[in-house]
Amino acid sequence: MSATIALVDDDRNILTSVSIALQAEGFTTRVYSDGETALKSLIDNPPDLAVLDIKMPQMDGLELLRRLREKAAIPVIFLTSKDDELDEALGLAMGADDYIAKPFSQRLLIARIRAILRRTEHASPALAGQPNEPVALPIERGRLTMDPQRHRVTWAGAPVTLTVTEFLILETLAQRPGIVKTRNQLMDAAYHDDIYVDDRTIDSHIKRVRRKFKQADPEFDAIETLYGAGYRFADD
């Protein structure tokens, strides 16, 4: 079954051209020209991934993502303008999985979509029991429990909802408590296919993960920063 990609952009030329390109690659597409219309559809009938433009009238991409994250954990790629560094940082802090600056190559967008979908499949219960697929065992580290097959995370029994990228970064840290992981190592764990992201992207994801755990436990401090080195999960 082909993956379904939702495209939300007020530029109909982009919607048409990207939709055609994705369909040529075997994807099913759904297109929306405004955030308000897209929101209900994305919640009621979630796609496999959503591509959201940030700059839209009425409800922009940031507000759409904020409201979407209250109901669903759909992987999201943001489309941003080249000069909108603040919007990029806000988008990542709010839980976007990736971003691409306009004007963009459709080939690059398709590569990013495929990479995120593969990461989603890695965390999907559908993989359990498939031939030649290693079964990822649950991870228990103190009050943290991670179930990769079900993409479930709890802290002291309280559920914590993570995006695919956030899950993979935390999984990499939790697999070896006390061991420092550089930003490059975390990039390699969360982003495949030689896709480049900068240090700020990883830092934004870490901040987002910490914020989510602090909502479950205000005293959460299990992810430690080693300045100049990287991050580690506390070795209790």
Side-chain angles (χ1 to χ4, degrees):
M1 183 180 296
S2 64
T4 298
I5 311 300
L7 306 172
V8 188
D9 198 311
D10 61 327
D11 187 328
R12 292 191 176 274
N13 290 329
I14 289 179
L15 287 179
T16 300
S17 62
V18 173
S19 180
I20 290 172
L22 289 174
Q23 290 172 17
E25 293 292 322
F27 294 105
T28 299
T29 60
R30 288 159 36 196
V31 299
Y32 307 91
S33 57
D34 68 88
E36 290 184 351
T37 302
L39 179 62
K40 185 176 188 305
S41 177
L42 295 181
I43 291 173
D44 292 345
N45 185 21
D48 295 290
L49 182 145
V51 179
L52 312 180
D53 184 30
I54 285 186
K55 299 294 186 183
M56 293 187 293
Q58 298 178 327
M59 183 187 296
D60 65 17
L62 293 171
E63 177 64 13
L64 174 57
L65 177 62
R66 185 189 69 79
R67 295 176 63 176
L68 184 61
R69 281 287 177 258
E70 294 175 351
K71 302 290 185 180
I74 301 166
V76 166
I77 296 176
F78 262 139
L79 300 181
T80 74
S81 298
K82 270 192 171 180
D83 298 329
D84 291 338
E85 292 185 3
L86 178 59
D87 285 345
E88 292 170 5
L90 282 173
L92 291 169
M94 292 170 63
D97 293 274
D98 205 345
Y99 67 87
I100 296 179
K102 293 181 178 181
F104 59 90
S105 157
Q106 290 184 357
R107 181 179 299 179
L108 173 62
L109 176 59
I110 291 170
R112 296 284 181 95
I113 288 172
R114 290 193 185 280
I116 291 177
L117 290 177
R118 275 192 286 274
R119 286 147 49 196
T120 305
E121 290 169 0
H122 169 76
S124 169
L127 288 180
Q130 292 293 323
N132 302 319
E133 286 290 350
V135 176
L137 298 176
I139 298 171
E140 294 186 4
R141 300 287 185 264
R143 287 170 284 178
L144 172 71
T145 300
M146 301 186 72
D147 186 344
Q149 293 299 328
R150 293 174 175 80
H151 193 77
R152 291 177 183 168
V153 181
T154 62
W155 180 262
V160 179
T161 302
L162 301 181
T163 68
V164 174
T165 304
E166 292 164 357
F167 189 99
L168 291 173
I169 289 173
L170 179 61
E171 182 182 28
T172 301
L173 293 171
Q175 283 172 340
R176 300 189 66 190
I179 302 299
V180 178
K181 293 291 184 179
T182 67
R183 289 175 177 82
N184 284 337
Q185 288 173 320
L186 295 176
M187 289 177 197
D188 289 342
Y191 293 87
H192 301 298
D193 298 334
D194 297 323
I195 290 176
Y196 172 77
V197 294
D198 60 23
D199 289 354
R200 184 184 63 194
T201 302
I202 295 299
D203 292 343
S204 293
H205 286 309
I206 291 288
K207 289 177 182 177
R208 176 73 176 177
V209 171
R210 283 172 169 157
R211 187 177 302 120
K212 289 181 175 182
F213 276 90
K214 282 183 177 293
Q215 290 173 352
D217 177 6
E219 302 301 319
F220 175 82
D221 60 357
I223 299 177
E224 300 175 343
T225 301
L226 282 300
Y227 293 100
Y231 298 96
R232 70 183 174 197
F233 193 86
D235 187 6
D236 293 333

